[in-house]
Structures are given as C-alpha cells and as structure tokens.
Amino acid sequence: MLKTSLPPDNSAMLEKAIAAVAAAMADPSRVKMLCALMDGRAWTATELSAAADVAPSTASGHLARLVEGQLITCLSQGRHRYYRLAGHDVAALVEQMMGLSWSRITPPETTAPKAMREARTCYDHLAGTVAVQIYDFMQAESWLEADGSALTLYGREQFLALGVSLSDHPRRKACCACLDWSERRFHLGGEAGAALLIHMESKGWIQRVAGYREVVVTASGKAAVKRFFSR
C-alpha cells in the first residue's frame, strides 16, 4: 500500500512505497489515466476509459488497481462515482516519476450551460466556478482544515468578521468538501456553506432565478468575491 509521508530515515518503507507506485504505473493505460487526473479534477470511470482508450470493463480493473495502490480515491456524489488523485503529494510523486515530457490529456468538456456552471445552488449551498474559487481561496488561506472537514479557528474568525452567522453546536456537519459536478473540484458544503449562501443572498451578492437552481452573481457580488476571496 502506498504511503507517501514517510520518515526520512526509513529507507525500507520508502522503497516499498516507490515500488508500489511503480507497479501501479507499470501499465500504459494506467499511466494515461494518471496523466488525465493530473489536471486536479475528478473524472468518471467512463471518461477515464476514453482517455486511456480502453473498454469500460478494462478501465474498472485499472481503477481498482490505482485505488488499491492509494494513488487515487473514489468519491460518490449522488448516483455518480468520480475518481481523483489521492493528494498533492501523490501528484508530485507521479509527475517526478513520469518526468516533465509526458503528454497531457484534454479534460472532458462539461455539458452544463454557462450560467449554471458559473453559479447555482447545490442543496442549500453555493456551487459552480465562483464557489470553487471561494473554496480554493479558503484552503490556501488556511480557513479550512486540509480535508475541508472543518473550519480552522482562523477561518471561523474570518467568517464572523464577514458577518456570517455560525452555530456553536450545529446539528449537521459544520463544514465539508462537496464535489462540484460541473467543475469536478470541491466547493464548500455543510453548515458553513449554507450560512455563506444565506449571507451572500442577504447582502445582494447573488440573486436566485425563480424556479431554477441557477443564481446570478451581481456586480456587487463579483466585487465582494474579488475583495474577500481572492489573493
């Protein structure tokens, strides 16, 4: 099994880890899948089978091998399953072993309408490119724990500074990383995501489209996102 965070003096474990990665990457089809996943997004098995130019049944075996080697993880979102690299350390190790000359795979095109892709609701929180941008900022600025499962103390302070109300004893997950179906990256879910959506709507930063999940980011909303959620 792959272990990427190893003590520097434990050469035996390091050798086993490298061997596990090398074994998982020994097949050209698996290498193509890893190349595709290097874009940082989550892909379906069907998309990865097309990227690797193999049958879906063959792709399933390769994906199982990559999951077993802890190079990728499988995420369930509703009725769909997505695959993505297991972490930044895996991406770095894969790229080092592949070298910098491998050809990159073109990401799959989304069929989502442009307006829906930009901003929409996902249950009770914001989704789309704007939401992914906000989540990326929060991670980069340490508002969130590494896995997105909770706000850090600093992040909670920043939420309160924005005027976003948070419960001290939420009845649901305080925070979670929710996979965005159009962007294939994470946006903010849980109680914190719901509270942020309410706050953005109350401030007039977003406006709901009646009868639809689509929301419109207003001019003041775009300015606010740039002010509060960009580096």
Side-chain angles (χ1 to χ4, degrees), residues 51-125:
D53 196 23
V54 296
S57 57
T58 303
S60 295
H62 287 311
L63 290 169
R65 183 69 180 272
L66 293 172
V67 170
E68 182 183 358
Q70 295 184 1
L71 287 173
I72 66 174
T73 57
C74 180
L75 304 167
S76 294
Q77 191 81 351
R79 293 177 296 173
H80 302 285
R81 299 177 72 190
Y82 298 90
Y83 295 86
R84 72 195 312 264
L85 290 180
H88 295 293
D89 51 351
V90 172
L93 184 56
V94 169
E95 183 152 351
Q96 287 173 18
M97 295 187 70
M98 287 179 175
L100 300 176
S101 61
W102 47 264
S103 60
R104 297 181 183 270
I105 307 296
T106 302
E109 292 294 329
T110 179
T111 57
K114 184 177 179 181
M116 280 279 285
R117 183 173 179 177
E118 181 181 11
R120 62 183 182 276
T121 55
C122 177
Y123 302 106
D124 60 356
H125 53 270

Side-chain angles (χ1 to χ4, degrees), residues 137-157:
F137 169 83
M138 289 181 176
Q139 271 210 320
E141 295 296 309
S142 300
W143 290 30
L144 306 172
E145 298 293 347
D147 61 357
S149 64
L151 290 171
T152 61
L153 177 60
Y154 176 72
R156 192 173 182 84
E157 290 173 348

